[in-house]
Amino acid sequence: MRAHEDAYPTMAAALGVDPATEHPLTFEASDEAYLRALFDHVLHPMERDGVDFWWIDWQQGASSRIPGLDPLWALNDRHLREMASTGRRPVIFSRYAGPGSHRTPVGFSGDTVVSWASLAFQPEFTATASNIGYGWWSHDIGGHMFGTKDDELATRWAQLGTFSPVNRLHSTSNPFNSKEPWRFGPAAERAQVAALRLRHRLLPYLYTMAERASAQGHPLVEPLYHEHPWAEEAYRRPNEFAFGEAILVAPVTTPIDPRSIVARTDAWLPDGTWFDLQTGWRYDGGRELSTYRELHQLGAFVRAGAVLPLLGDEIPGNGVDNPTSLEIRCYAGADGELTLYEDDDAPVADERVARTPLTFSWADRTVHLGPVQGDASVVPERRDWRVGLVGATAPQEQSKAVRVLVDGVERADAVVTRVEGCRTTWVDVPDVPVSAAVVVELGPCELAANDVAGAVFDYLQRAQVEFEDKTAAMRTVESITDPGQALVQLATLDLDPGVLGRVAELLTAAR
């Protein structure tokens, strides 16, 4: 942070300097005197006017008055302590100052180049920062400088930003290099807006995972070998990472093939059952696979049994108040739980805390929400709950099978809907006191089968390849029920490699 010229007279007065004859930053004074003047007469007044945090940039160095001390390390520590001394929850944003500097700032890697190679470097670079404890690590999303305008590249980088510790779109001062989604073509704009909205809707999950990082030492983004240290596959996929405890991300970092309209990403799914975050498409784990994604599609998977809290509004606003509406997605195939963490954003994070237990029993086909524990005053008195069971068949005799109990009393106004496209049953329960215990009984249901023929047809409809090839591929998928035999037949058709890969992925996702 460089002091503004308008603040120099105030600093000069604090240092006993006549600003008419001598500039305060050239005056010989102690480091402490300069810092005291900067904090007391420049930064703290701005904080009282509404500044939430400081970005400390370009102050690292190889030497200082103390041999071996990087001045940025000392400045990071001092800025954090000064902000804490004012009664605020301290946050600073700064460049990397060496191992150990994760204790003070939210960090960033410096200026990135606008290129596919730079994008491909970021996932591993971000995830491995966790190896030295630097969990809140970021990069200039979209690329900072140089390069050329590339709508697809900017979109893939924005999608990676959705699953980064810090989602910060940034660029050098160039009117042609801004990162606002509306500066790109219609398809890129839609995909980037969807990614940004998803990021905002994930705030309840993100905040809970942030508290987990603080209390348990699990960074938000981790390499796969943190959870699977003995699996060779975890080391073969360095660009794949865990995003909190429920989500696995295999980001797309290569361009789309214009004929097949998909980009290939090689991934590894650990043992268990996994679901595509966007579509609910089910994958069997315990294997490596190639995924193929169109521009609007993410490489993000959710483990079976996950309980994923999101903001309840389809198009949320920009506020970060604790929400009055929550969407709880429960993924079929295993039991799971999560304790939602919320606080009042006060200077001391653990003084006024509310925790809401969220439990999903696949064995019993039930979901338990609340009641809130701790300080209920930090959350709204009442909430609208939306519970989604993802990846399961519709409950038998749906309207009768699903029951909602609030403190043991059945709620007749609960609304049950079914979205077959993502194989999800939704249960809306409005206006519930946060002090109440909510039980959603989902009724008899099973893991839903993927609609392979429907998904293949939808994809082929968009692929930019020969009509006869589309027809032959579709006929094979519809006529041969065994996936292995269908793949053998598809391999004889001389399909475009991307088309064959995408169809193969859909055929063999759930074996």
Side-chain angles (χ1 to χ4, degrees):
M1 160 59 184
R2 186 168 62 187
H4 194 277
E5 290 287 344
D6 294 343
Y8 288 158
T10 304
M11 291 182 64
L15 293 166
V17 178
D18 181 359
T21 59
E22 192 160 18
H23 197 289
L25 294 186
T26 64
F27 179 70
E28 288 295 330
S30 69
D31 293 338
E32 178 60 29
Y34 279 127
L35 285 172
R36 193 71 268 148
L38 174 65
F39 287 121
D40 290 347
H41 300 285
V42 181
L43 302 188
H44 290 332
M46 291 183 180
E47 291 164 4
R48 290 192 290 270
D49 288 339
V51 173
D52 289 324
F53 69 94
W54 295 109
W55 181 336
I56 306 169
D57 197 1
W58 204 256
Q59 297 183 36
Q60 73 271 23
S63 62
S64 64
R65 295 183 186 180
I66 301 176
L69 175 66
D70 186 330
L72 183 59
W73 192 98
L75 285 168
N76 287 343
D77 180 77
R78 185 59 180 273
H79 274 80
L80 191 81
R81 294 176 184 273
E82 277 291 330
M83 182 168 277
S85 73
T86 66
R88 306 163 67 87
R89 186 178 298 187
V91 177
I92 60 170
F93 184 58
S94 180
R95 288 178 178 235
Y96 180 60
S101 62
H102 68 281
R103 297 181 179 90
T104 46
V106 174
F108 73 105
S109 59
D111 301 337
T112 53
V113 173
V114 180
S115 71
W116 285 99
S118 183
L119 169 62
F121 177 69
Q122 299 307 322
E124 179 182 5
F125 188 48
T126 302
T128 55
S130 297
N131 290 343
I132 61 166
Y134 218 131
W136 297 110
W137 183 247
S138 73
H139 51 278
D140 296 342
I141 293 169
H144 180 78
M145 58 190 180
F146 308 134
T148 59
K149 179 71 174 287
D150 188 326
D151 286 16
E152 183 188 354
L153 171 61
T155 300
R156 292 306 192 191
W157 217 321
Q159 291 170 340
L160 173 61
T162 298
F163 305 105
S164 294
V166 182
N167 188 18
R168 179 178 56 83
L169 281 67
H170 186 58
S171 66
T172 188
S173 180
N174 184 319
F176 299 104
N177 192 19
S178 295
K179 298 300 187 293
E180 297 88 351
W182 53 86
R183 289 180 177 267
F184 300 90
E189 178 183 357
R190 287 192 298 272
Q192 291 181 36
V193 167
L196 290 169
R197 285 178 173 164
L198 173 60
R199 172 69 176 205
H200 191 64
R201 293 198 68 204
L202 283 167
L203 274 177
Y205 177 73
L206 290 167
Y207 208 62
T208 299
M209 292 300 104
E211 195 269 341
R212 170 179 175 257
S214 176
Q216 302 178 29
H218 286 285
L220 175 64
V221 169
E222 295 181 277
L224 297 186
Y225 48 76
H226 278 201
E227 184 177 353
H228 306 279
W230 309 115
E232 293 184 4
E233 298 91 337
Y235 300 89
R236 286 202 292 265
R237 302 295 172 223
N239 265 17
E240 194 175 349
F241 55 86
F243 187 67
E245 64 183 31
I247 301 174
L248 183 149
V249 182
V252 181
T253 60
T254 55
I256 280 173
D257 170 71
R259 283 173 50 81
S260 63
I261 66 166
V262 290
R264 172 178 168 173
T265 300
D266 293 331
W268 173 58
L269 295 180
D271 289 338
T273 300
W274 298 84
F275 296 89
D276 185 287
L277 175 63
Q278 287 176 298
T279 65
W281 195 262
R282 178 161 57 92
Y283 290 81
D284 292 333
R287 63 192 175 113
E288 294 177 287
L289 73 160
S290 296
T291 67
Y292 296 81
R293 295 293 180 265
E294 299 177 49
L295 185 64
H296 66 284
Q297 295 172 332
L298 308 170
F301 306 88
V302 186
R303 68 171 77 241
V307 179
L308 185 63
L310 297 91
L311 295 179
D313 299 323
E314 286 299 320
I315 303 179
N318 291 324
V320 291
D321 293 337
N322 291 327
T324 59
S325 176
L326 282 169
E327 177 179 298
I328 309 300
R329 298 185 186 179
C330 301
Y331 288 81
D335 297 346
E337 61 182 359
L338 179 138
T339 300
L340 179 68
Y341 174 89
E342 297 169 283
D343 62 29
D344 61 349
D345 199 29
V348 181
D350 58 357
E351 281 190 345
R352 299 180 63 208
V353 170
R355 300 180 189 273
T356 305
L358 312 172
T359 305
F360 169 52
S361 172
W362 173 244
D364 297 332
R365 309 303 198 259
T366 59
V367 179
H368 293 258
L369 311 173
V372 68
Q373 301 170 358
D375 192 339
S377 68
V378 305
V379 297
E381 292 184 1
R382 308 181 76 86
R383 273 181 163 153
D384 298 333
W385 292 101
R386 184 172 217 221
V387 176
L389 175 59
V390 182
T393 59
Q396 299 172 15
E397 298 180 357
Q398 181 173 305
S399 62
K400 297 179 181 179
V402 176
R403 296 175 69 232
V404 176
L405 304 175
V406 177
D407 281 341
V409 178
E410 187 166 357
R411 284 283 297 263
D413 60 344
V415 178
V416 181
T417 54
R418 175 73 181 174
V419 181
E420 288 296 344
C422 58
R423 290 158 292 283
T424 301
T425 298
W426 295 105
V427 183
D428 290 281
V429 192
D431 196 30
V432 178
V434 295
S435 60
V438 180
V439 180
V440 180
E441 299 176 352
L442 295 162
C445 56
E446 304 297 333
L447 282 174
N450 294 331
D451 179 12
V452 175
V456 170
F457 182 88
D458 288 343
Y459 162 66
L460 290 175
Q461 180 74 9
R462 295 186 295 273
Q464 305 293 296
V465 297
E466 290 75 12
F467 293 119
E468 293 304 314
D469 286 350
K470 294 184 180 188
T471 302
M474 194 68 230
R475 184 182 300 119
T476 300
V477 170
E478 291 178 326
S479 62
I480 303 178
T481 57
D482 179 78
Q485 294 181 13
L487 283 176
V488 171
Q489 180 62 31
L490 287 168
T492 68
L493 299 179
D494 196 26
L495 296 172
D496 181 277
V499 171
L500 177 60
R502 177 56 176 164
V503 173
E505 178 193 351
L506 294 171
L507 271 172
T508 60
R511 298 189 295 269

